[in-house]
Amino acid sequence: MPTEGQYVKALEELDGNGLAPSWRELLRSHWAASEHKCSMAVLAKAVGYPNSNAANLNYGRLAGRIGECVGLPPSEDYQNLYSVATWDRWVPNGAGH
């Protein structure tokens, strides 16, 4: 598992080269959510994406970029999502991630 310092370095690297403004807002919105949990639908609305599919796509891209920066191997099965989030399969209030 990457260290806090590796994440800081990765985000600084991305901030200077390739961190889309909407990706920054995804991270901010996720962090600001109660207990840092919210659904992709909530994140999509907070960021201005048309739906949760767009939020999923962009969060996956962001996770892939962060994963690369911290030295995680490329992943075709979304394992790099774990570099920025975990998720609950079903939460009654839709809190999810």
Side-chain angles (χ1 to χ4, degrees), residues 25-67:
E25 195 55 38
L26 276 173
L27 292 172
R28 283 186 180 151
S29 296
H30 197 169
W31 179 256
S34 176
E35 297 182 41
H36 314 302
K37 294 181 180 182
C38 62
S39 68
M40 281 297 175
V42 169
L43 286 176
K45 186 174 182 178
V47 176
Y49 292 139
N51 54 46
S52 60
N53 290 339
N56 266 326
L57 174 67
N58 281 281
Y59 218 137
R61 287 178 176 165
L62 170 61
R65 295 289 306 278
I66 291 172

Side-chain angles (χ1 to χ4, degrees), residues 5-19:
Q6 288 174 297
Y7 278 109
V8 168
K9 185 176 177 184
L11 290 171
E12 288 173 346
E13 182 180 322
L14 288 174
D15 193 32
N17 183 27
L19 184 65

Side-chain angles (χ1 to χ4, degrees), residues 59-91:
Y59 218 137
R61 287 178 176 165
L62 170 61
R65 295 289 306 278
I66 291 172
E68 287 174 20
C69 290
V70 299
L72 295 176
S75 172
E76 303 232 351
D77 60 359
Y78 308 106
Q79 290 299 309
N80 280 348
L81 282 174
Y82 287 108
S83 70
V84 291
T86 60
W87 56 90
D88 295 329
R89 283 284 178 211
W90 181 82
V91 177

